[in-house]
Amino acid sequence: SIFGLIICWAFTYVTSMVTLEASWLASQLESTDNNIAASNDGDGGGFLSIAKMAFGPGGEIITAGLFWFLLTAIIVAYSGEGGQIISEVFTEITHSNLVSAGFGSVIFALFFGSLATYGTSKVDVINRVFVLGLLATFIGLVGIGVPIVKGSNLLDYSDWSAVYPAGISIGILSFGAQNVVPTLLRYLDNDPMRTRQVILFGSLLPLLLYTIWEAVFLGIVDPANALDGKKMEVVSLLGQSGGTAVSDLVEIFSICAIGSSMAGASV
């Protein structure tokens, strides 16, 4: 599984570098054509500019339609999950069904929609809070799980057939960040070298976290469960060691994960 993660990370990093180069070239071309800074005009090196540079106005229109469909699907998915979490939190606090999942989705979407109107810098501040929450809860869950990891589960069993195609496809989706590369370039004053460094370290961090979690997960779960087709409840196993704190950490982790993802989609 770690080998599969490395393959997915390498794919994401290489394609992000290609996206960065195309975005920077498009921004330079747009800046030259308009004789002003690209960041203050039009798409500023975004995917619409890239499509127009490569395929003309027709390609720009098609790309706009595809991105509208993609981002709408992403936002609907995040809002649906975010609304469910908000509903569960209100139910735990008030002990009533005061906020339904549908109404929670509306609250979730309105919050991030209004946040996006303040610009990338404001969204970045909120996103950092969510990321810190992710790291804190992740450390807590790993700290609970490490003592019950069995080395034999990690060393005595391997299944390469699980890596491809299911593992690779999910892994690439988990690492996917190419859509925010043009935004990063503009945010970093159109500096390709700084953006390159941010993409490198920004992609290595999830690789490290995924690797640690894979080691904890696979070290806790008995391989026989996978062979017998049984559902692997790693959270339940963690709960046996950490008690109710595990469910609280998982809930906070879920909120931060959805919030961070939605923040990225909103810009």
Side-chain angles (χ1 to χ4, degrees):
S1 61
I2 293 178
F3 179 74
L5 285 174
I6 294 174
I7 292 177
C8 296
W9 169 82
F11 175 84
T12 300
Y13 179 70
V14 171
T15 52
S16 294
M17 289 297 100
V18 173
T19 304
L20 173 60
E21 181 177 4
S23 180
W24 184 79
L25 289 173
S27 67
Q28 295 303 301
L29 179 62
E30 184 174 315
S31 179
T32 301
D33 290 344
N34 294 289
N35 198 30
I36 57 174
S39 59
N40 295 325
D41 180 76
D43 188 32
F47 284 98
L48 296 184
S49 295
I50 295 172
K52 184 178 181 180
M53 177 182 66
F55 304 110
E60 183 181 20
I61 294 174
I62 293 174
T63 301
L66 292 173
F67 259 86
W68 176 85
F69 176 80
L70 173 64
L71 292 177
T72 299
I74 290 174
I75 290 173
V76 168
Y78 288 158
S79 297
E81 185 63 26
Q84 184 65 40
I85 293 174
I86 290 176
S87 177
E88 291 175 358
V89 170
F90 269 91
T91 299
E92 290 181 6
I93 294 175
T94 63
H95 302 288
S96 66
N97 296 322
L98 182 64
V99 177
S100 65
F103 186 58
S105 297
V106 173
I107 296 174
F108 186 83
L110 286 176
F111 172 76
F112 283 98
S114 60
L115 182 65
T117 61
Y118 290 97
T120 305
S121 59
K122 300 297 183 183
V123 175
D124 179 51
V125 174
I126 300 298
N127 189 53
R128 291 184 185 187
V129 174
F130 283 126
V131 171
L132 287 175
L134 276 173
L135 289 174
T137 52
F138 178 83
I139 291 173
L141 289 171
V142 170
I144 294 172
V146 166
I148 57 177
V149 167
K150 297 180 181 179
S152 59
N153 289 346
L154 297 173
L155 302 176
D156 297 343
Y157 175 78
S158 63
D159 183 8
W160 288 96
S161 64
V163 174
Y164 181 82
I168 294 296
S169 59
I170 294 174
I172 290 176
L173 180 63
S174 300
F175 279 103
Q178 297 89 335
N179 60 312
V180 300
V181 170
T183 302
L184 280 175
L185 182 62
R186 290 196 298 271
Y187 183 62
L188 296 173
D189 299 324
N190 216 38
D191 187 337
M193 296 306 298
R194 289 176 62 197
T195 307
R196 183 177 180 179
Q197 294 173 352
V198 168
I199 293 173
L200 175 61
F201 291 111
S203 62
L204 285 175
L205 179 59
L207 175 61
L208 174 63
L209 297 180
Y210 290 157
T211 301
I212 294 173
W213 181 246
E214 282 284 297
V216 172
F217 180 89
L218 297 177
I220 291 175
V221 177
D222 189 342
N225 288 343
L227 293 174
D228 295 339
K230 297 178 181 178
K231 185 177 180 181
M232 296 181 294
E233 291 287 357
V234 67
V235 174
S236 298
L237 293 172
L238 287 174
Q240 296 174 9
S241 177
T244 58
V246 171
S247 59
D248 294 334
L249 287 173
V250 169
E251 188 168 5
I252 296 173
F253 182 89
S254 300
I255 293 172
C256 292
I258 293 295
S260 178
S261 299
M262 187 65 172
S266 67
V267 296

